[in-house]
């Protein structure tokens, strides 16, 4: 009771990073580019518009950020609403946390057009008291703690009483900077940074079976 759990979606609750790998590959291939090895790491913590602006600048594209975001959303929407699933034991863990009286929030970079269908499709939507994204928190992305602070505020829980579940190193550092506890979820996209993640996080997970029973 009196505790809050804040969950990232992509790569943490949702086993979805492969969707974006395919979107990136298809999008850049259509414009004559291969996906650079460092592209995923560069954009991982950015807000959606920032990724569009970065991509336009890096590949010298004529597209507008709005056009890129619309194309990416279109390419990803079907997968999020029909194919993407949760990480193992995620739903059981959310159900357990609700029985403890904890408040639950989502803090994500996913826009509503993608996160809504994904949360409904996977069945996790009813477990959450709060859903917020980096745009609502000022658009700084997860290099800033703003989205985690916003989630805590909307739950009515002090930052120091919140546990964040996240797969991004930058997000973990941001959450810890305001006194939150952090558990790291392993995702293939985070392999390169896993040693650093393991040093920063209060605990590490490969699925939710080993997630903390007491927040």
């Amino acid at each position: 009771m009196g505790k809050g759990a804040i969950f990232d979606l992509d790569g943490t609750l949702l086993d979805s990073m492969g969707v974006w790998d395919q979107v990136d590959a298809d999008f850049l291939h259509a414009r004559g580019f291969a996906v650079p090895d460092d592209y995923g790491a560069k954009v991982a913590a950015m807000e959606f518009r920032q990724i569009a602006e970065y991509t336009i600048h890096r590949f010298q594209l004529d597209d507008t950020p709005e056009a890129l975001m619309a194309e990416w959303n279109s390419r990803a929407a079907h997968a999020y609403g029909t194919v993407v699933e949760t990480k193992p034991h995620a739903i059981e863990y959310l159900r357990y946390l609700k029985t403890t009286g904890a408040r639950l929030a989502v803090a994500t970079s996913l826009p509503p057009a993608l996160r809504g269908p994904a949360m409904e499709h996977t069945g996790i939507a009813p477990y959450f008291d709060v859903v917020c994204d980096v745009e609502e928190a000022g658009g700084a992305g997860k290099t800033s703690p703003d989205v985690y602070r916003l989630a805590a505020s909307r739950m009515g829980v002090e930052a120091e009483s919140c546990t964040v579940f996240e797969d991004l190193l930058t997000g973990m550092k941001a959450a810890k900077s305001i006194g939150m506890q952090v558990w790291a979820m392993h995702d293939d996209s985070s392999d390169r940074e896993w040693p650093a993640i393991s040093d920063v996080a209060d605990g590490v997970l490969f699925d939710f079976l080993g997630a903390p029973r007491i927040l």
Side-chain angles (χ1 to χ4, degrees), residues 20 46-54 65 68-73 109-111 114 134-135 139 141:
W20 289 108
M46 295 181 187
E47 179 268 326
F48 206 40
R49 172 174 280 274
Q50 289 177 319
I51 299 174
E53 292 170 347
Y54 171 80
L68 259 67
M69 291 188 290
E71 181 173 342
W72 288 339
N73 278 337
S109 299
L110 276 180
L114 297 182
V134 293
E135 273 289 326

Side-chain angles (χ1 to χ4, degrees), residues 20-180:
W20 289 108
D21 291 342
Q22 192 60 52
V23 167
D24 291 341
D26 292 345
F27 171 83
L28 289 173
H29 178 74
R31 287 158 174 79
F33 298 101
V35 181
D37 289 341
D38 67 338
Y39 181 76
K42 290 283 189 183
V43 303
M46 295 181 187
E47 179 268 326
F48 206 40
R49 172 174 280 274
Q50 289 177 319
I51 299 174
E53 292 170 347
Y54 171 80
T55 302
I56 289 168
H57 176 75
R58 177 161 184 174
F59 297 99
Q60 298 296 297
L61 304 177
D62 294 329
D63 306 76
T64 64
E66 291 75 15
L68 259 67
M69 291 188 290
E71 181 173 342
W72 288 339
N73 278 337
S74 176
R75 289 179 180 272
H78 178 74
Y80 272 95
T82 61
V83 178
V84 165
E85 296 297 341
T86 58
K87 290 289 183 79
H89 307 289
I91 292 177
E92 298 98 305
Y93 186 57
L94 296 176
R95 187 181 298 126
Y96 164 76
L97 287 180
K98 293 301 285 187
T99 69
T100 71
R103 301 275 287 172
L104 273 60
V106 163
T108 182
S109 299
L110 276 180
L114 297 182
R115 71 171 181 257
M119 292 178 70
E120 292 296 334
H121 162 66
T122 56
I124 63 175
Y127 295 101
F128 288 96
D129 303 291
V130 170
V131 177
C132 57
D133 61 44
V134 293
E135 273 289 326
E136 296 175 271
K142 288 195 170 177
T143 55
S144 163
D146 291 349
V147 71
Y148 307 109
R149 187 182 286 114
L150 177 62
S153 174
R154 289 185 177 177
M155 286 191 297
V157 180
E158 295 293 329
E160 293 80 7
S161 295
C162 289
T163 300
V164 172
F165 297 85
E166 179 64 78
D167 69 311
L168 285 180
L169 177 60
T170 50
M172 296 174 205
K173 289 179 176 178
K176 287 186 72 69
S177 76
I178 55 172
M180 294 180 172

Side-chain angles (χ1 to χ4, degrees), residues 197-212:
I197 286 171
S198 299
D199 287 340
V200 167
D202 297 292
V204 298
L205 301 169
F206 288 84
D207 60 43
F208 281 98
L209 192 61

